[in-house]
Amino acid sequence: MTHYLLAVHGPTEMGEFGNYGSKEEMEKAFADTGAFNDKLRADGYWVFGGGLEPASTATVVDGQAETPVMTDGPYLETKEIIGGFWVIDAPDLDVALKLAAAGSKACGGKVEVRPFAGLA
Amino acid sequence: MQHERAAVERVFREEYGRLIASLVRRFGDIDVAEEAAGEALVVALEKWPESGVPPNPGGWLTTTAGNRAIDRIRREKQRDAKHQAALMDYDDTPHEPTGPVEDDRLRLLFTCCHPALAPEARIALTLRLLGGLTVPEIAQAFLVPETTMAQRITRAKKKILAAKVPYRVPEAADLPERLGGVLAVLFLVFNEGYLATGDGDPVRAELTGEAIRLARILRQLLPDEPEVAGLLGLLVLIEARREARVRNGQLVPVDEQDRAGWDHALIAEGHGLVRECLATNRPGRYQILAAINAVHTDAATAADTDWSQVVALYDQLTRLDPSPIVALNRAVAIAELDGPEVALALVDRLPLEGYHPWHATRADLLRRLGRSVEAKEAYDAAIGATQNTAERAYLSRKRGELV
């Protein structure tokens, strides 16, 4: 089995309903994502997952010097950021890609699939 | 000696795909398989010229390469305990004869053509691992520097290993879509050979030949897939006209080709495949394209071509694939049936300004309508958009004939 990161990409700018067009769309995506999570757990692929607060809530810490340096905001200025992610344990890439497609459909965002080199 | 060496290399090349595929299954690692195969070639080059080619060269190469791979894994296990943990388990059971769908080459083909790999990497890996072409040969075929091609292949192999791209024939539900990806790779290899994109040799017979060889293997492995028969039929029907297609460095369009110069054995094979597809009656893109080429190769002279049949087949193809490129090819047939004016109206609507055949088609239709000024402009645009020397020479001649 291999661990994969399924990272959900979304816009940095969030509207009233996150990155969804309306309240109904947002509620449907939440419900679908919840159902997808339940299925991941039931089928034994689930390791960890969650949604992230907007990038504006991020702080970058550089602790390489004597005193850590804090910077407000995300590390990279980009139009797209990771809005949430899953870590799954799957037998091969074909399984991971199928799960990513289902997850993408549920949450309404593009999903990047990346294998872990290892888990600590 | 030179002759013997060439004979060994020919056998090696023939057996390469099967050899690599069985080694990948056994050792679970493409790099290990390639190195072991390379070492087996070195041994073969030493021994075969003296002892003669063994009765079962493929079996000999598989055994020799397998032993080399095991030796290497044992050496590395002793040398490096840390490395040991990272090594895969290898399957030490002897090679068993397997059914067609279990053939290792088929698994490897689906791995090489996996949709998670970049399209150009799929083509390169397929030619490298199944075709047995060397990296410099592939680099030369696709006009990229050798280092670029080497990096492309290395990167793809690393992704296969790290992301665990499976070494498996897809399950039945996924097979049609995944098979489509494999067929597309073989068709791209063929097309690059048939009308090379660069300004080197206009036709690269080694690529058309390799695509046909791989399509034949695929057909043996999946005899009940009509699209596989369709692709093979399409490729042999186009290949049959290869010799007649270039004369004095110029492309010769199908209506001006010397039909006696066509390969009639390939045409008979292609027609047989098309008939088989018709009997199966599960039409698809490649089968329809093969049928269109069967109509062309069925006519004794260009004037005898059954254009209404060609248009009917393009109509059928349009329902499956309503792309502007299909519409352009359909318009070419419409020009024969309803005249160039009707065809030009269809062509002008298509958003294909970046596609050189669109300019070449417009040029030809405008020429036939006597609209010389516009035809010249269209020929210039077509010439500017292709590097293929034979096509440029043909287009330049046609442009020069305009008054």
PDB file of all heavy atoms in Angstrom, chain B residues 3 9 14 22 34 39 56 99 102 166 242 244 252 273 285 318 330 358 361:
ATOM      1  N   HIS B   3      28.485  -9.090 -39.392  1.00  0.00           N
ATOM      2  CA  HIS B   3      27.226  -9.698 -39.788  1.00  0.00           C
ATOM      3  C   HIS B   3      26.589 -10.437 -38.611  1.00  0.00           C
ATOM      4  O   HIS B   3      25.392 -10.338 -38.355  1.00  0.00           O
ATOM      5  CB  HIS B   3      27.498 -10.666 -40.947  1.00  0.00           C
ATOM      6  CG  HIS B   3      26.297 -11.457 -41.356  1.00  0.00           C
ATOM      7  ND1 HIS B   3      25.244 -10.894 -42.036  1.00  0.00           N
ATOM      8  CD2 HIS B   3      25.991 -12.759 -41.153  1.00  0.00           C
ATOM      9  CE1 HIS B   3      24.337 -11.820 -42.245  1.00  0.00           C
ATOM     10  NE2 HIS B   3      24.752 -12.964 -41.712  1.00  0.00           N
ATOM     11  N   GLU B   9      21.870  -8.619 -32.664  1.00  0.00           N
ATOM     12  CA  GLU B   9      21.119  -7.411 -32.302  1.00  0.00           C
ATOM     13  C   GLU B   9      19.684  -7.452 -32.839  1.00  0.00           C
ATOM     14  O   GLU B   9      18.764  -6.953 -32.208  1.00  0.00           O
ATOM     15  CB  GLU B   9      21.853  -6.156 -32.784  1.00  0.00           C
ATOM     16  CG  GLU B   9      23.008  -5.834 -31.834  1.00  0.00           C
ATOM     17  CD  GLU B   9      23.867  -4.675 -32.270  1.00  0.00           C
ATOM     18  OE1 GLU B   9      23.711  -4.216 -33.427  1.00  0.00           O
ATOM     19  OE2 GLU B   9      24.716  -4.243 -31.474  1.00  0.00           O
ATOM     20  N   GLU B  14      13.955  -7.993 -31.553  1.00  0.00           N
ATOM     21  CA  GLU B  14      12.688  -8.710 -31.702  1.00  0.00           C
ATOM     22  C   GLU B  14      12.144  -9.162 -30.345  1.00  0.00           C
ATOM     23  O   GLU B  14      10.957  -9.147 -30.102  1.00  0.00           O
ATOM     24  CB  GLU B  14      12.891  -9.949 -32.592  1.00  0.00           C
ATOM     25  CG  GLU B  14      12.832  -9.674 -34.077  1.00  0.00           C
ATOM     26  CD  GLU B  14      11.493  -9.099 -34.499  1.00  0.00           C
ATOM     27  OE1 GLU B  14      10.468  -9.703 -34.146  1.00  0.00           O
ATOM     28  OE2 GLU B  14      11.482  -8.048 -35.160  1.00  0.00           O
ATOM     29  N   SER B  22       8.670  -9.399 -19.070  1.00  0.00           N
ATOM     30  CA  SER B  22       8.701 -10.497 -18.098  1.00  0.00           C
ATOM     31  C   SER B  22       9.616 -10.149 -16.925  1.00  0.00           C
ATOM     32  O   SER B  22       9.348 -10.508 -15.786  1.00  0.00           O
ATOM     33  CB  SER B  22       9.110 -11.810 -18.775  1.00  0.00           C
ATOM     34  OG  SER B  22      10.491 -11.816 -19.013  1.00  0.00           O
ATOM     35  N   GLU B  34      15.807  -3.297 -17.310  1.00  0.00           N
ATOM     36  CA  GLU B  34      16.598  -2.782 -18.437  1.00  0.00           C
ATOM     37  C   GLU B  34      18.071  -3.121 -18.303  1.00  0.00           C
ATOM     38  O   GLU B  34      18.721  -3.495 -19.283  1.00  0.00           O
ATOM     39  CB  GLU B  34      16.439  -1.263 -18.536  1.00  0.00           C
ATOM     40  CG  GLU B  34      15.120  -0.830 -19.141  1.00  0.00           C
ATOM     41  CD  GLU B  34      15.101   0.666 -19.385  1.00  0.00           C
ATOM     42  OE1 GLU B  34      15.116   1.415 -18.398  1.00  0.00           O
ATOM     43  OE2 GLU B  34      15.099   1.083 -20.557  1.00  0.00           O
ATOM     44  N   GLU B  39      22.758  -6.486 -19.894  1.00  0.00           N
ATOM     45  CA  GLU B  39      23.838  -7.430 -19.582  1.00  0.00           C
ATOM     46  C   GLU B  39      23.666  -8.723 -20.365  1.00  0.00           C
ATOM     47  O   GLU B  39      24.649  -9.310 -20.835  1.00  0.00           O
ATOM     48  CB  GLU B  39      23.870  -7.722 -18.076  1.00  0.00           C
ATOM     49  CG  GLU B  39      24.390  -6.546 -17.263  1.00  0.00           C
ATOM     50  CD  GLU B  39      24.439  -6.855 -15.768  1.00  0.00           C
ATOM     51  OE1 GLU B  39      24.694  -8.013 -15.408  1.00  0.00           O
ATOM     52  OE2 GLU B  39      24.198  -5.922 -14.985  1.00  0.00           O
ATOM     53  N   ASN B  56      15.913 -21.373 -28.684  1.00  0.00           N
ATOM     54  CA  ASN B  56      14.868 -20.507 -28.149  1.00  0.00           C
ATOM     55  C   ASN B  56      15.541 -19.255 -27.600  1.00  0.00           C
ATOM     56  O   ASN B  56      15.794 -19.141 -26.402  1.00  0.00           O
ATOM     57  CB  ASN B  56      14.099 -21.281 -27.059  1.00  0.00           C
ATOM     58  CG  ASN B  56      13.070 -20.410 -26.348  1.00  0.00           C
ATOM     59  OD1 ASN B  56      12.886 -19.234 -26.679  1.00  0.00           O
ATOM     60  ND2 ASN B  56      12.418 -20.978 -25.352  1.00  0.00           N
ATOM     61  N   GLY B  99      -2.101 -17.038 -20.639  1.00  0.00           N
ATOM     62  CA  GLY B  99      -3.111 -16.739 -21.655  1.00  0.00           C
ATOM     63  C   GLY B  99      -2.855 -15.383 -22.272  1.00  0.00           C
ATOM     64  O   GLY B  99      -2.044 -14.615 -21.766  1.00  0.00           O
ATOM     65  N   GLU B 102      -3.017 -12.211 -20.215  1.00  0.00           N
ATOM     66  CA  GLU B 102      -2.043 -12.176 -19.125  1.00  0.00           C
ATOM     67  C   GLU B 102      -0.643 -11.882 -19.646  1.00  0.00           C
ATOM     68  O   GLU B 102       0.296 -11.838 -18.867  1.00  0.00           O
ATOM     69  CB  GLU B 102      -2.054 -13.511 -18.379  1.00  0.00           C
ATOM     70  CG  GLU B 102      -3.349 -13.763 -17.630  1.00  0.00           C
ATOM     71  CD  GLU B 102      -3.702 -12.616 -16.690  1.00  0.00           C
ATOM     72  OE1 GLU B 102      -2.827 -12.189 -15.929  1.00  0.00           O
ATOM     73  OE2 GLU B 102      -4.841 -12.141 -16.743  1.00  0.00           O
ATOM     74  N   PRO B 166       0.189   1.072 -11.751  1.00  0.00           N
ATOM     75  CA  PRO B 166       0.135  -0.399 -11.719  1.00  0.00           C
ATOM     76  C   PRO B 166       0.638  -1.051 -13.001  1.00  0.00           C
ATOM     77  O   PRO B 166       0.581  -0.466 -14.087  1.00  0.00           O
ATOM     78  CB  PRO B 166      -1.347  -0.695 -11.504  1.00  0.00           C
ATOM     79  CG  PRO B 166      -2.056   0.529 -11.927  1.00  0.00           C
ATOM     80  CD  PRO B 166      -1.133   1.683 -11.732  1.00  0.00           C
ATOM     81  N   ARG B 242       2.848   3.986 -48.812  1.00  0.00           N
ATOM     82  CA  ARG B 242       4.011   4.796 -48.410  1.00  0.00           C
ATOM     83  C   ARG B 242       4.987   5.016 -49.562  1.00  0.00           C
ATOM     84  O   ARG B 242       5.424   6.135 -49.824  1.00  0.00           O
ATOM     85  CB  ARG B 242       4.722   4.130 -47.232  1.00  0.00           C
ATOM     86  CG  ARG B 242       5.921   4.909 -46.732  1.00  0.00           C
ATOM     87  CD  ARG B 242       6.362   4.440 -45.367  1.00  0.00           C
ATOM     88  NE  ARG B 242       6.632   3.015 -45.304  1.00  0.00           N
ATOM     89  CZ  ARG B 242       7.750   2.449 -45.755  1.00  0.00           C
ATOM     90  NH1 ARG B 242       8.689   3.179 -46.321  1.00  0.00           N
ATOM     91  NH2 ARG B 242       7.920   1.146 -45.649  1.00  0.00           N
ATOM     92  N   ALA B 244       4.562   4.968 -52.723  1.00  0.00           N
ATOM     93  CA  ALA B 244       4.040   5.778 -53.833  1.00  0.00           C
ATOM     94  C   ALA B 244       3.787   7.223 -53.423  1.00  0.00           C
ATOM     95  O   ALA B 244       3.407   8.052 -54.250  1.00  0.00           O
ATOM     96  CB  ALA B 244       2.739   5.156 -54.351  1.00  0.00           C
ATOM     97  N   VAL B 252       3.169  13.118 -52.950  1.00  0.00           N
ATOM     98  CA  VAL B 252       2.236  12.891 -54.064  1.00  0.00           C
ATOM     99  C   VAL B 252       0.858  12.642 -53.477  1.00  0.00           C
ATOM    100  O   VAL B 252       0.679  11.683 -52.729  1.00  0.00           O
ATOM    101  CB  VAL B 252       2.666  11.662 -54.899  1.00  0.00           C
ATOM    102  CG1 VAL B 252       1.752  11.499 -56.109  1.00  0.00           C
ATOM    103  CG2 VAL B 252       4.122  11.774 -55.324  1.00  0.00           C
ATOM    104  N   LEU B 273      -9.178  -7.028 -42.493  1.00  0.00           N
ATOM    105  CA  LEU B 273      -9.456  -6.521 -41.144  1.00  0.00           C
ATOM    106  C   LEU B 273     -10.728  -5.675 -41.131  1.00  0.00           C
ATOM    107  O   LEU B 273     -11.531  -5.758 -40.200  1.00  0.00           O
ATOM    108  CB  LEU B 273      -8.254  -5.707 -40.641  1.00  0.00           C
ATOM    109  CG  LEU B 273      -7.029  -6.538 -40.246  1.00  0.00           C
ATOM    110  CD1 LEU B 273      -5.764  -5.685 -40.211  1.00  0.00           C
ATOM    111  CD2 LEU B 273      -7.251  -7.205 -38.881  1.00  0.00           C
ATOM    112  N   ARG B 285     -13.865   4.732 -33.802  1.00  0.00           N
ATOM    113  CA  ARG B 285     -13.099   5.718 -34.556  1.00  0.00           C
ATOM    114  C   ARG B 285     -12.088   5.086 -35.524  1.00  0.00           C
ATOM    115  O   ARG B 285     -12.067   5.406 -36.706  1.00  0.00           O
ATOM    116  CB  ARG B 285     -12.387   6.570 -33.515  1.00  0.00           C
ATOM    117  CG  ARG B 285     -11.394   7.542 -34.017  1.00  0.00           C
ATOM    118  CD  ARG B 285     -10.790   8.275 -32.809  1.00  0.00           C
ATOM    119  NE  ARG B 285      -9.440   8.720 -33.111  1.00  0.00           N
ATOM    120  CZ  ARG B 285      -9.190   9.796 -33.856  1.00  0.00           C
ATOM    121  NH1 ARG B 285     -10.183  10.503 -34.338  1.00  0.00           N
ATOM    122  NH2 ARG B 285      -7.951  10.152 -34.117  1.00  0.00           N
ATOM    123  N   THR B 318     -18.248  11.630 -37.568  1.00  0.00           N
ATOM    124  CA  THR B 318     -18.611  12.904 -36.939  1.00  0.00           C
ATOM    125  C   THR B 318     -19.524  12.678 -35.738  1.00  0.00           C
ATOM    126  O   THR B 318     -19.428  13.389 -34.734  1.00  0.00           O
ATOM    127  CB  THR B 318     -19.321  13.814 -37.963  1.00  0.00           C
ATOM    128  OG1 THR B 318     -18.470  13.939 -39.104  1.00  0.00           O
ATOM    129  CG2 THR B 318     -19.601  15.182 -37.392  1.00  0.00           C
ATOM    130  N   ARG B 330     -13.824  15.563 -43.772  1.00  0.00           N
ATOM    131  CA  ARG B 330     -15.109  15.310 -44.424  1.00  0.00           C
ATOM    132  C   ARG B 330     -15.296  16.304 -45.582  1.00  0.00           C
ATOM    133  O   ARG B 330     -15.748  15.918 -46.668  1.00  0.00           O
ATOM    134  CB  ARG B 330     -16.238  15.468 -43.406  1.00  0.00           C
ATOM    135  CG  ARG B 330     -17.610  15.228 -43.986  1.00  0.00           C
ATOM    136  CD  ARG B 330     -18.698  15.391 -42.932  1.00  0.00           C
ATOM    137  NE  ARG B 330     -20.006  15.302 -43.547  1.00  0.00           N
ATOM    138  CZ  ARG B 330     -20.629  16.326 -44.120  1.00  0.00           C
ATOM    139  NH1 ARG B 330     -20.051  17.516 -44.148  1.00  0.00           N
ATOM    140  NH2 ARG B 330     -21.823  16.160 -44.670  1.00  0.00           N
ATOM    141  N   TRP B 358      -5.348  22.624 -42.730  1.00  0.00           N
ATOM    142  CA  TRP B 358      -6.481  23.516 -43.017  1.00  0.00           C
ATOM    143  C   TRP B 358      -6.089  24.511 -44.111  1.00  0.00           C
ATOM    144  O   TRP B 358      -6.820  24.701 -45.080  1.00  0.00           O
ATOM    145  CB  TRP B 358      -6.885  24.257 -41.731  1.00  0.00           C
ATOM    146  CG  TRP B 358      -8.069  25.179 -41.890  1.00  0.00           C
ATOM    147  CD1 TRP B 358      -9.380  24.826 -41.976  1.00  0.00           C
ATOM    148  CD2 TRP B 358      -8.049  26.623 -41.972  1.00  0.00           C
ATOM    149  NE1 TRP B 358     -10.175  25.946 -42.114  1.00  0.00           N
ATOM    150  CE2 TRP B 358      -9.383  27.061 -42.111  1.00  0.00           C
ATOM    151  CE3 TRP B 358      -7.031  27.570 -41.949  1.00  0.00           C
ATOM    152  CZ2 TRP B 358      -9.729  28.405 -42.219  1.00  0.00           C
ATOM    153  CZ3 TRP B 358      -7.366  28.915 -42.054  1.00  0.00           C
ATOM    154  CH2 TRP B 358      -8.702  29.325 -42.190  1.00  0.00           C
ATOM    155  N   THR B 361      -5.705  22.630 -47.432  1.00  0.00           N
ATOM    156  CA  THR B 361      -7.006  22.292 -48.010  1.00  0.00           C
ATOM    157  C   THR B 361      -7.660  23.523 -48.643  1.00  0.00           C
ATOM    158  O   THR B 361      -8.159  23.478 -49.769  1.00  0.00           O
ATOM    159  CB  THR B 361      -7.938  21.706 -46.919  1.00  0.00           C
ATOM    160  OG1 THR B 361      -7.281  20.603 -46.311  1.00  0.00           O
ATOM    161  CG2 THR B 361      -9.262  21.251 -47.514  1.00  0.00           C
TER     162      THR B 361
END
